[in-house]
Amino acid sequence: MRIFITGGAGFIGSHLCDYFLAHGNHVVAMDNFITGSPDNIAHLKNNAQFEFIKQDVTTFINVPGPIDAVLHFASPASPKSYLDFPIQTMKVGALGTHNALGVARAKKARFLLASTSEVYGDPLEHPQKESYWGNVNPIGPRGVYDEAKRFAEALTLAYHREHGMETRIVRIFNTYGPRNALDDGRVVPNFVGQALRGEPLTVHGDGSQTRSFCYVSDLVRGIAQLLKSDEELPVNLGNPNELTIKLFAERINALTENQAGIIFTNRPVDDPSRRNPDITKARTRLGWEPQVSLDDGLRETIAYFRARMKR
Ligand code: UDP
C-alpha cells in the first residue's frame, strides 16, 4: 500500500511511518513541525520507500500519485501545546481534517482519523465506552482541542455517510514512549525529565486524578488493526491499567532512583479527574490487547530521554 500520514513527524505519526515501512508499504508523510520534529524522521532520510512533504495541512494538499490510505494524525496534542497554539489546533481539526478527507476521497483511499479520549471531556462515566457522549466544556482552555476533535469525528462520519467513504476513527488515550517531546508538558516527559535532573516531580493538585498509560508500540499495532478492520464507528485504544498521578510519580521516582520526591502544584483548569478506556470493543472486534507493562514501557522511555538529555 501507499500510505499518506499527516503529522508524520510527530510522536505517534513517526512511529506509524516506521510501522508501515517495516510492513512493506510506501509512506508519504506531511508535517509543518509545529509540534513534530525533523529528528523523529531523520533515520528515514535514505529510505527509498519514504517521502516527506513539509506543509501545514490546513492549506490545500496535493499528493502526487495513488494513495491507498490516509492517516490523519496532524495536530498539537498535549495540553500545553494546544494551549500554546489554540487557533492552529482548531484549524487543523477543522480545515486540516477537511483537506485530508478531500485527499482520501479524490484518491478513493480509506481514511483513518486520530481522535482522542478528550472527546469525553471530564467524564461522568467510568470507564469510558465509545457510546458515551462526553462532558466537555466548549469554552474552557481545553475546548479548542476537544471541540476540534469532536468536529473532526462528525466531519469524518459525514463523508462516510454522504460519499460512502471507508472511514475509521481511533480515540487515543494517554500514550507514551520514545519521541514524546521532552518539553511538550505531558506528564510522562515532564516527570521523567524532572527525575533525570534530580528534581522533585510536579504533581498537579493532590495527585488523586487518574490516567492509564499505553505504550506507543501497542497503540500503533492497534491502529494498524483498526485500519484493516471494517469498524466504521469510533474505537477506543488505550491501556486500561488506571492509576493515580501521585502513584505514577512515585513509580517514576523508583525506576529512576530519584531521591527528590514530589511537590504539589496547581491543578490546570478542566483537568479530567478520571480517565480509563473501556477497550471491550477493541478486544472483541479487533482482537487487540495492550502487551507492554508500565514498567517495561517506562524503562524504554527513560532510556530514550536519558540519551537525549546527554546530547
Ligand atoms: N500532570 C502533573 N504534573 C505535570 C504534568 C501533568 O501532575 O507536570 C497531570 C495533569 O494535571 C493530568 C495528568 O498528569 O492530571 C496527565 O496530564 P497530561 O498533560 O499528560 O495529559 P492529559 O491526560 O491531561 O491530557
Side-chain angles (χ1 to χ4, degrees):
M1 289 207 294
R2 192 159 182 266
I3 301 178
F4 176 51
I5 304 178
T6 75
F11 163 46
I12 295 173
S14 65
H15 284 284
L16 285 169
C17 292
D18 287 348
Y19 181 94
F20 284 105
L21 288 167
H23 287 77
N25 302 285
H26 186 100
V27 171
V28 182
M30 183 171 279
D31 208 298
N32 64 349
F33 301 131
I34 183 176
T35 55
S37 163
D39 288 355
N40 291 341
I41 49 168
H43 61 291
L44 300 176
K45 216 174 179 172
N46 298 321
N47 187 326
Q49 299 308 315
F50 181 72
E51 288 168 71
F52 180 74
I53 306 169
K54 183 172 181 292
Q55 192 190 312
D56 177 345
V57 298
T58 66
T59 59
F60 181 81
I61 301 172
N62 175 34
V63 187
I67 296 287
D68 303 293
V70 174
L71 308 187
H72 181 40
F73 277 71
S75 179
S78 75
K80 177 179 176 288
S81 64
Y82 53 72
L83 298 182
D84 286 348
F85 303 108
I87 296 171
Q88 285 96 328
T89 300
M90 297 219 74
K91 282 177 74 179
V92 74
L95 307 177
T97 304
H98 188 223
N99 288 340
L101 279 161
V103 172
R105 186 171 176 229
K107 308 280 183 184
K108 298 188 172 36
R110 191 169 276 201
F111 180 84
L112 186 147
L113 172 71
S115 185
T116 168
S117 54
E118 283 281 323
V119 300
Y120 301 121
D122 189 1
L124 304 175
E125 209 182 279
H126 302 285
Q128 291 80 54
K129 283 195 189 76
E130 290 87 347
S131 54
Y132 179 47
W133 290 356
N135 178 39
V136 170
N137 175 4
I139 56 168
R142 300 173 85 108
V144 294
Y145 185 61
D146 303 9
E147 297 296 0
K149 289 293 188 182
R150 289 167 71 95
F151 176 89
E153 288 196 4
L155 189 62
T156 299
L157 282 167
Y159 268 70
H160 167 66
R161 291 178 184 132
E162 185 167 340
H163 297 307
M165 269 174 57
E166 290 189 1
T167 56
R168 308 286 177 265
I169 299 173
V170 55
R171 289 187 179 152
I172 301 170
F173 283 66
N174 293 66
T175 299
Y176 71 102
R179 302 189 197 145
N180 227 172
L182 243 184
D183 61 354
D184 83 358
R186 282 194 180 104
V187 68
V188 177
N190 259 21
F191 282 0
V192 174
Q194 289 161 346
L196 294 177
R197 290 189 299 268
E199 298 167 1
L201 309 196
T202 52
V203 170
H204 295 161
D206 63 3
S208 63
Q209 68 272 33
T210 67
R211 293 294 186 273
S212 45
F213 296 96
C214 185
Y215 191 64
V216 66
S217 61
D218 279 333
L219 180 85
V220 162
R221 183 170 43 82
I223 291 168
Q225 283 173 240
L226 174 61
L227 181 66
K228 266 195 274 175
S229 78
D230 54 10
E231 202 50 56
E232 268 138 8
L233 294 175
V235 177
N236 290 338
L237 291 182
N239 192 312
N241 173 20
E242 182 179 359
L243 78 172
T244 66
I245 292 300
K246 183 162 175 283
L247 265 177
F248 184 61
E250 287 163 359
R251 198 68 220 122
I252 289 188
N253 275 339
L255 288 170
T256 53
E257 297 177 9
N258 180 27
Q259 307 296 325
I262 58 181
I263 50 169
F264 297 96
T265 62
N266 286 342
R267 185 96 182 271
V269 178
D270 294 337
D271 186 29
S273 303
R274 284 189 73 185
R275 186 186 285 158
N276 187 17
D278 182 320
I279 58 165
T280 309
K281 195 170 179 182
R283 279 196 178 111
T284 54
R285 309 272 177 91
L286 310 180
W288 177 82
E289 186 86 41
Q291 290 167 354
V292 180
S293 72
L294 185 65
D295 277 13
D296 285 350
L298 281 177
R299 277 192 203 96
E300 293 285 329
T301 309
I302 290 165
Y304 168 81
F305 283 130
R306 188 172 269 135
R308 272 199 85 85
M309 286 167 68
K310 278 200 191 123
R311 281 215 232 148

